[in-house]
Short mmCIF file of all heavy atoms in Angstrom, two decimals:
data_model
loop_
_atom_site.label_atom_id
_atom_site.label_comp_id
_atom_site.label_asym_id
_atom_site.label_seq_id
_atom_site.Cartn_x
_atom_site.Cartn_y
_atom_site.Cartn_z
N ALA A 34 -6.66 -5.71 -8.69
CA ALA A 34 -7.70 -5.42 -9.68
C ALA A 34 -8.09 -3.95 -9.64
O ALA A 34 -8.24 -3.30 -10.67
CB ALA A 34 -8.92 -6.31 -9.43
N TRP A 35 -8.26 -3.42 -8.43
CA TRP A 35 -8.66 -2.01 -8.29
C TRP A 35 -7.58 -1.09 -8.88
O TRP A 35 -7.88 -0.16 -9.62
CB TRP A 35 -8.91 -1.66 -6.83
CG TRP A 35 -9.38 -0.25 -6.68
CD1 TRP A 35 -8.62 0.86 -6.50
CD2 TRP A 35 -10.73 0.21 -6.79
NE1 TRP A 35 -9.41 1.98 -6.46
CE2 TRP A 35 -10.72 1.60 -6.64
CE3 TRP A 35 -11.95 -0.44 -6.99
CZ2 TRP A 35 -11.87 2.37 -6.68
CZ3 TRP A 35 -13.10 0.33 -7.02
CH2 TRP A 35 -13.05 1.72 -6.87
N THR A 36 -6.34 -1.34 -8.53
CA THR A 36 -5.24 -0.49 -9.01
C THR A 36 -5.11 -0.55 -10.52
O THR A 36 -4.93 0.47 -11.18
CB THR A 36 -3.92 -0.88 -8.32
OG1 THR A 36 -4.07 -0.68 -6.91
CG2 THR A 36 -2.76 -0.03 -8.82
N LEU A 37 -5.23 -1.75 -11.08
CA LEU A 37 -5.16 -1.87 -12.54
C LEU A 37 -6.29 -1.09 -13.20
O LEU A 37 -6.07 -0.35 -14.16
CB LEU A 37 -5.24 -3.34 -12.95
CG LEU A 37 -3.97 -4.15 -12.71
CD1 LEU A 37 -4.26 -5.64 -12.80
CD2 LEU A 37 -2.90 -3.75 -13.72
N SER A 38 -7.50 -1.23 -12.67
CA SER A 38 -8.66 -0.59 -13.28
C SER A 38 -8.65 0.92 -13.10
O SER A 38 -8.82 1.67 -14.06
CB SER A 38 -9.94 -1.18 -12.69
OG SER A 38 -11.07 -0.54 -13.25
N GLU A 39 -8.43 1.35 -11.87
CA GLU A 39 -8.63 2.76 -11.55
C GLU A 39 -7.39 3.62 -11.69
O GLU A 39 -7.47 4.74 -12.17
CB GLU A 39 -9.20 2.89 -10.14
CG GLU A 39 -10.58 2.29 -10.02
CD GLU A 39 -11.53 2.86 -11.05
OE1 GLU A 39 -11.88 4.05 -10.96
OE2 GLU A 39 -11.91 2.11 -11.97
N GLU A 40 -6.28 3.13 -11.28
CA GLU A 40 -5.07 3.95 -11.29
C GLU A 40 -4.28 3.82 -12.60
O GLU A 40 -3.73 4.80 -13.09
CB GLU A 40 -4.17 3.61 -10.11
CG GLU A 40 -4.85 3.63 -8.75
CD GLU A 40 -5.50 4.95 -8.39
OE1 GLU A 40 -5.19 6.00 -8.99
OE2 GLU A 40 -6.34 4.95 -7.47
N LEU A 41 -4.24 2.61 -13.15
CA LEU A 41 -3.47 2.38 -14.38
C LEU A 41 -4.36 2.36 -15.62
O LEU A 41 -3.86 2.15 -16.72
CB LEU A 41 -2.67 1.08 -14.26
CG LEU A 41 -1.56 1.13 -13.20
CD1 LEU A 41 -0.91 -0.24 -13.04
CD2 LEU A 41 -0.52 2.18 -13.55
N LYS A 42 -5.66 2.54 -15.43
CA LYS A 42 -6.62 2.61 -16.55
C LYS A 42 -6.58 1.36 -17.42
O LYS A 42 -6.64 1.43 -18.64
CB LYS A 42 -6.37 3.86 -17.42
CG LYS A 42 -6.26 5.15 -16.63
CD LYS A 42 -7.53 5.48 -15.88
CE LYS A 42 -7.41 6.85 -15.21
NZ LYS A 42 -7.76 6.84 -13.82
N ARG A 43 -6.50 0.19 -16.75
CA ARG A 43 -6.49 -1.09 -17.44
C ARG A 43 -7.59 -1.98 -16.87
O ARG A 43 -7.32 -3.03 -16.27
CB ARG A 43 -5.11 -1.74 -17.30
CG ARG A 43 -4.05 -0.94 -18.02
CD ARG A 43 -2.60 -1.27 -17.78
NE ARG A 43 -2.19 -2.51 -17.23
CZ ARG A 43 -1.03 -2.67 -16.58
NH1 ARG A 43 -0.18 -1.66 -16.44
NH2 ARG A 43 -0.70 -3.86 -16.11
N PRO A 44 -8.86 -1.55 -17.04
CA PRO A 44 -9.97 -2.27 -16.40
C PRO A 44 -10.15 -3.70 -16.90
O PRO A 44 -10.58 -4.56 -16.12
CB PRO A 44 -11.19 -1.41 -16.71
CG PRO A 44 -10.82 -0.63 -17.92
CD PRO A 44 -9.33 -0.40 -17.81
N GLN A 45 -9.83 -3.97 -18.14
CA GLN A 45 -9.98 -5.35 -18.64
C GLN A 45 -9.05 -6.29 -17.88
O GLN A 45 -9.45 -7.39 -17.49
CB GLN A 45 -9.69 -5.42 -20.15
CG GLN A 45 -10.00 -6.77 -20.76
CD GLN A 45 -11.47 -7.11 -20.71
OE1 GLN A 45 -12.32 -6.29 -21.02
NE2 GLN A 45 -11.79 -8.32 -20.30
N GLU A 46 -7.84 -5.85 -17.64
CA GLU A 46 -6.89 -6.65 -16.88
C GLU A 46 -7.33 -6.76 -15.42
O GLU A 46 -7.24 -7.82 -14.80
CB GLU A 46 -5.51 -6.03 -16.98
CG GLU A 46 -4.39 -6.93 -16.56
CD GLU A 46 -3.03 -6.32 -16.80
OE1 GLU A 46 -2.91 -5.34 -17.58
OE2 GLU A 46 -2.07 -6.82 -16.19
#
Side-chain angles (χ1 to χ4, degrees):
W35 183 270
T36 299
L37 285 165
S38 178
E39 295 306 292
E40 308 302 343
L41 294 174
K42 310 298 185 230
R43 294 169 18 204
Q45 187 65 46
E46 196 175 342

